Amino acid sequence: MRRELSRQVRRTSLGQRCTLCYCSRLTQPCDKHTITHATSDPLDHLIAGNRRYVAHTTEKDPNVFVDLAKGQAPEILWIGCADSRVPETTVCHCKPGDIFVHRNIANTVHANDLNSASVVEYAVAHLKVKKVVVCGHTKCGGAAAALGDADLGGTLNTWLHPVRELRRKHMSELQRLPSDDARAARVAELNVQQSIEVLKAHPAIRRAISERGLTLHGLIYDIGAGSLKIIDNAAGGKKVNGLWSPK
């Protein structure tokens, strides 16, 4: 076992180090991390990864966490999908503190959703972000599920109802596309556009657009290529009524 664990040690220009915390060791992982090396428990991997992250980050910048603790001033609010393959800070090559984030199933913005409403209000009215981004993505499970009417469970059925309504509204266009993948990708784009229209009715966003030039942007992330593209922000249909509509 000790021989197997020693394989976890990597050699660097500074000598051999524990792969979990990067402390200096000559022949093996440090004693406090031996148990973590020997387990396949996913939570242990999270904790181990955090130790590596802290050690590696502070090695490059010893004050990084001290500075982050002083406060945040992100310039972008990112509303994205909860999909594990689209971590915004990673795919945009950003750092902690750069992006204020809200993620949910299929990056959907509902006019009566207090969760997203509170995030938007805090980001726009208090943090004073300069841009609001709604980002959908290819291979989205929510968009794919919206192509049909299968019973996903009470909560998911309710959550995806507006996305399924988009499918019905644009059925003729979607039927002309060559595959379900293409149809799901188009539904993802339409959903981004609709979410932006919902956001435009939020009082904090309306004020910020008028008073300081806040802008809203729709993006699609291509999981198969790792790239982002900007899509048209305009969305048709009736004006959304709900929690955010002006009284």
Side-chain angles (χ1 to χ4, degrees):
M1 175 64 74
R2 302 296 292 183
R3 182 177 301 172
E4 180 66 25
L5 292 176
S6 67
R7 295 176 185 172
Q8 301 288 338
V9 181
R10 72 183 186 98
R11 184 176 297 278
T12 70
S13 59
L14 299 177
Q16 288 182 321
R17 294 187 169 216
C18 169
T19 55
L20 293 183
C21 69
Y22 283 75
C23 64
S24 297
R25 296 289 290 187
L26 293 178
T27 59
Q28 61 191 25
C30 68
D31 295 337
K32 65 181 178 180
H33 293 143
T34 297
I35 294 177
T36 305
H37 277 296
T39 183
S40 60
D41 186 280
L43 181 58
D44 285 342
H45 281 292
L46 284 182
I47 301 303
N50 172 252
R51 288 169 178 157
R52 295 179 64 182
Y53 163 71
V54 171
H56 184 63
T57 302
T58 53
E59 185 175 58
K60 293 190 296 184
D61 181 0
N63 296 318
V64 61
F65 296 114
V66 174
D67 292 338
L68 284 172
K70 295 175 182 177
Q72 61 174 328
E75 295 186 328
I76 291 178
L77 166 60
W78 174 287
I79 299 175
C81 183
D83 194 298
S84 61
R85 300 166 294 176
V86 195
E88 65 294 322
T89 302
T90 300
V91 304
C92 296
H93 200 58
C94 291
K95 299 178 295 184
D98 287 347
I99 307 175
F100 198 71
V101 179
H102 177 70
R103 293 170 66 180
N104 60 41
I105 298 297
N107 48 269
T108 301
V109 181
H110 291 254
N112 58 355
D113 177 23
L114 283 172
N115 191 345
S116 57
S118 61
V119 171
V120 169
E121 186 166 73
Y122 184 70
V124 174
H126 298 275
L127 293 178
K128 307 292 186 184
V129 296
K130 297 178 180 178
K131 297 182 182 296
V132 176
V133 165
V134 179
C135 183
H137 65 94
T138 61
K139 303 294 184 180
C140 178
L147 294 179
D149 293 307
D151 184 3
L152 304 174
T155 303
L156 283 174
N157 288 339
T158 301
W159 184 258
L160 289 175
H161 177 73
V163 190
R164 284 173 163 167
E165 286 299 303
L166 278 176
R167 178 205 75 207
R168 296 183 182 99
K169 178 181 176 182
H170 296 272
M171 182 63 73
S172 60
E173 174 193 352
L174 295 172
Q175 287 177 335
R176 293 194 296 269
L177 297 176
S179 66
D180 280 346
D181 270 353
R183 284 184 278 274
R186 179 57 180 152
V187 167
E189 291 180 345
L190 292 168
N191 185 42
V192 167
Q193 293 168 345
Q194 177 166 271
S195 292
I196 287 176
E197 290 302 304
V198 175
L199 287 169
K200 287 178 180 178
H202 191 295
I205 286 182
R206 289 164 62 93
R207 286 193 298 270
I209 290 173
S210 173
E211 295 173 2
R212 57 184 182 85
L214 175 78
T215 55
L216 285 71
H217 306 271
L219 302 178
I220 289 289
Y221 177 70
D222 185 344
I223 284 182
S227 57
L228 284 168
K229 73 171 183 177
I230 299 175
I231 62 174
D232 179 45
N233 290 346
K238 296 180 180 179
K239 188 172 182 179
V240 175
N241 292 313
L243 179 68
W244 302 346
S245 297
K247 296 180 180 179

